[in-house]
């Protein structure tokens, strides 16, 4: 519970400036442009699955390796994971450029080729950040993650409020997103005393990580697809303004799932380490029940607050979305 509280500091603390930024962007951009910004965020989230499961495999493997003191293997696995992420994103960049050359204006809906490439940069830095944060959680560097999350959130708030008035605004917002992620990632590396490693091409370790992690990644991708396919459908058939309205609702709904995601992430290393103990099954079951009960209480509380106060927020601050 102490680790969950520490992660909450960064998770919840970072949500406040990010939610504030979304409100400001929705007001300045208006429903049409904000709708496009919402779909850009969805594409970026889909892109985080381009790690193909190596990040998921690391999250499962590292606790046991750390428990046994196999730190060289831990760092070698991290290097292989980073190497695959750079390779896959580089391949996607080639495909984006080829598509642009073959189909003129294919990326106009999101602001052009430059915006598409900027989103790909977001995806790359997000992948590295997610992998590094998972490794930091496995080492119980919870407070360090919280601090880096806060720095990211406030950096993005500051940069976003400034660059949203530049032209084209969505390109500048995406580049500001990249800059904020890089700052937070470098800070996390400093706070954890060098958790980042140099990427490497290690086919043998990469194959093992993919075999273990790809099914987990696929499950996550399918789950995210189920909760976001509606937004993609609106983007395909409706005007951008409709997506802007829909994006505001999706933003509110995402807050309700925050506590479950946060507690699950911080509890996974503990559950995996408990499994290594002689009486680990009983301890793991008790911890799982306690975690589930806490998630339910916090999720229902968040749902009540959102249903109560979001109409007032729209009425007073976002009249264009009524």
């Amino acid at each position: 519970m102490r680790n969950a509280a520490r992660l909450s500091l960064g998770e919840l603390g970072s949500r406040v400036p990010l939610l504030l930024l979304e409100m400001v962007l929705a007001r300045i951009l208006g429903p049409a442009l904000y709708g496009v910004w919402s779909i850009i965020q969805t594409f970026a989230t889909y892109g985080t699955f381009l790690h193909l499961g190596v990040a998921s495999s690391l999250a499962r493997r590292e606790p046991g390796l750390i428990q046994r003191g196999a730190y060289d293997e831990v760092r070698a696995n991290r290097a292989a994971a980073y190497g695959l992420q750079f390779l896959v994103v580089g391949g996607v960049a080639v495909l984006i450029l080829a598509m642009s050359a073959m189909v003129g204006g294919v990326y106009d809906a999101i602001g052009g080729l430059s915006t598409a490439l900027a989103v790909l940069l977001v995806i790359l830095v997000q992948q590295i950040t997610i992998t590094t944060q998972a490794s930091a959680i496995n080492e119980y560097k919870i407070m360090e993650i919280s601090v880096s999350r806060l720095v990211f959130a406030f950096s993005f708030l500051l940069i976003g409020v400034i660059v949203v008035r530049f032209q084209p605004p969505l390109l500048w917002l995406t580049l500001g997103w990249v800059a904020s992620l890089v700052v937070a990632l470098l800070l996390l590396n400093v706070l954890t005393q060098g958790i980042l490693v140099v990427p490497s091409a290690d086919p043998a370790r990469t194959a093992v990580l993919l075999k273990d992690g790809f099914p987990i990644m696929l499950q996550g991708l399918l789950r995210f697809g189920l909760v976001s396919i509606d937004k993609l459908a609106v983007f395909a058939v409706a005007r951008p303004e409709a997506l802007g309205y829909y994006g505001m609702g999706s933003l509110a709904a995402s807050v309700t799932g925050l506590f479950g995601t946060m507690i699950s992430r911080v509890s996974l290393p503990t559950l995996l380490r408990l499994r290594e103990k002689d009486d680990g099954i009983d301890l793991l079951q008790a911890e799982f029940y306690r975690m589930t009960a806490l998630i339910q209480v916090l999720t229902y509380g968040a749902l009540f607050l959102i249903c109560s106060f979001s109409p007032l927020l729209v009425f007073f601050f976002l009249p264009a979305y009524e």
Side-chain angles (χ1 to χ4, degrees):
M1 291 303 166
R2 183 176 65 251
N3 285 332
R6 289 176 176 175
L7 188 65
S8 299
L9 174 65
E11 192 76 37
L12 298 178
S14 65
R15 284 285 174 165
V16 173
L18 292 178
L19 285 173
L20 179 59
L21 175 61
E22 290 296 317
M23 297 298 103
V24 172
L25 295 181
R27 185 180 178 92
I28 294 175
L29 294 175
L33 270 182
Y34 182 75
V36 179
W37 171 245
S38 175
I39 205 67
I40 285 175
Q41 291 175 305
T42 302
F43 288 154
T45 304
Y46 271 109
T48 59
F49 293 99
L50 288 175
H51 61 75
L52 303 181
V54 295
S56 304
S57 182
L58 282 179
R60 290 169 57 89
R61 288 175 171 272
E62 283 191 353
L65 293 172
I66 293 172
Q67 186 75 13
R68 296 193 295 269
Y71 293 103
D72 289 341
E73 183 67 15
V74 168
R75 296 182 68 83
N77 284 335
R78 290 176 186 173
Y82 291 147
L84 179 66
Q85 289 168 351
F86 274 96
L87 178 64
V88 172
V89 171
V92 174
V94 172
L95 291 176
I96 288 176
L97 292 172
M99 183 68 71
S100 177
M102 292 186 294
V103 183
V106 66
Y107 304 113
D108 287 350
I110 63 170
L113 175 62
S114 57
T115 303
L117 293 175
V119 173
L120 191 60
L121 281 177
V122 169
I123 291 170
L124 175 61
V125 184
Q126 274 190 328
Q127 283 195 43
I128 297 172
T129 299
I130 290 170
T131 303
T132 306
Q133 287 179 347
S135 296
I137 289 176
N138 290 333
E139 295 182 7
Y140 292 144
K141 301 292 181 65
I142 309 299
M143 186 57 71
E144 289 83 352
I145 295 176
S146 295
V147 172
S148 68
R149 283 178 174 274
L150 289 170
V151 169
F152 162 72
F154 282 100
S155 297
F156 196 16
L157 172 61
L158 177 62
I159 295 173
V161 169
I162 294 173
V163 302
V164 70
R165 301 185 183 277
F166 295 175
Q167 294 297 328
L170 298 184
L171 172 61
W172 283 101
L173 277 173
T174 308
L175 292 175
W177 191 357
V178 174
S180 302
L181 284 168
V182 170
V183 168
L185 180 61
L186 294 177
L187 177 63
L188 179 60
N189 187 56
V190 171
L191 294 176
T192 55
Q193 300 178 356
I195 196 170
L196 287 172
V197 298
V198 177
S200 68
D202 191 334
R205 283 192 173 87
T206 300
V208 173
L209 292 174
L210 286 172
K211 181 179 179 181
D212 183 39
F214 186 80
I216 304 172
M217 181 278 301
L218 186 60
Q219 181 186 43
L221 177 60
L222 292 174
R223 184 172 63 250
F224 180 72
L226 288 174
V227 300
S228 64
I229 191 67
D230 49 353
K231 185 183 292 187
L232 295 178
V234 173
F235 177 67
V237 303
R239 296 178 303 169
E241 290 88 347
L243 187 59
Y245 304 140
Y246 197 85
M248 290 301 299
S250 298
L251 178 65
S254 68
V255 177
T256 62
L258 171 63
F259 294 102
T261 302
M262 178 182 63
I263 295 173
S264 299
R265 286 185 61 204
V266 77
S267 298
L268 180 60
T270 299
L271 296 176
L272 294 174
R273 291 193 187 195
L274 288 175
R275 191 178 61 179
E276 299 290 326
K277 297 180 179 293
D278 294 335
D279 56 346
I281 298 300
D282 293 335
L283 294 173
L284 189 151
Q285 188 177 47
E287 181 69 18
F288 177 79
Y289 287 148
R290 184 173 60 167
M291 177 186 73
T292 304
L294 181 60
I295 289 174
Q296 290 177 339
V297 171
L298 294 176
T299 299
Y300 289 135
L303 180 61
F304 173 78
L305 292 174
I306 289 172
C307 291
S308 300
F309 294 104
S310 57
L312 295 175
L313 177 64
V314 172
F315 180 79
F316 288 107
F317 189 72
L318 299 169
Y321 293 81
E322 287 189 89

